[in-house]
Amino acid sequence: MGAAPRQLVLAERAGVEIDYCPQCRGVWLDRGELDKIIDRSAAVTAAPQGYDDHGHHKGQKPRKKRGGFLEELFDF
């Protein structure tokens, strides 16, 4: 007999539905979900006005970045 099938868990992160396996932490995306992730990642990494090319606020010391959009999205 084979092993029992694993159950996927659905999580919604930043408006994207992500199916993942809690045992192996594998991720499955439905059609169009990867495009949503890419679009949102590009929007987050674009430096807003008043920031330099590295995403640091002008006139302030750079701070160490704590993770990023993708790290938060796939943190299960």
Side-chain angles (χ1 to χ4, degrees), residues 6-13 16-30 72-76:
R6 296 184 181 193
Q7 296 293 322
L8 297 180
V9 176
L10 177 67
E12 184 175 333
R13 305 280 175 93
V16 179
E17 290 184 354
I18 300 169
D19 297 296
Y20 72 96
C21 173
Q23 285 86 23
C24 73
R25 298 178 67 187
V27 175
W28 286 262
L29 301 171
D30 294 331
E72 292 175 16
L73 190 72
F74 292 112
D75 183 26
F76 297 112

Side-chain angles (χ1 to χ4, degrees), residues 51-65:
Y51 287 76
D52 65 16
D53 294 336
H54 302 288
H56 303 129
H57 191 273
K58 291 181 180 178
Q60 290 184 344
K61 292 182 183 179
R63 295 186 321 190
K64 186 173 181 178
K65 194 173 184 180

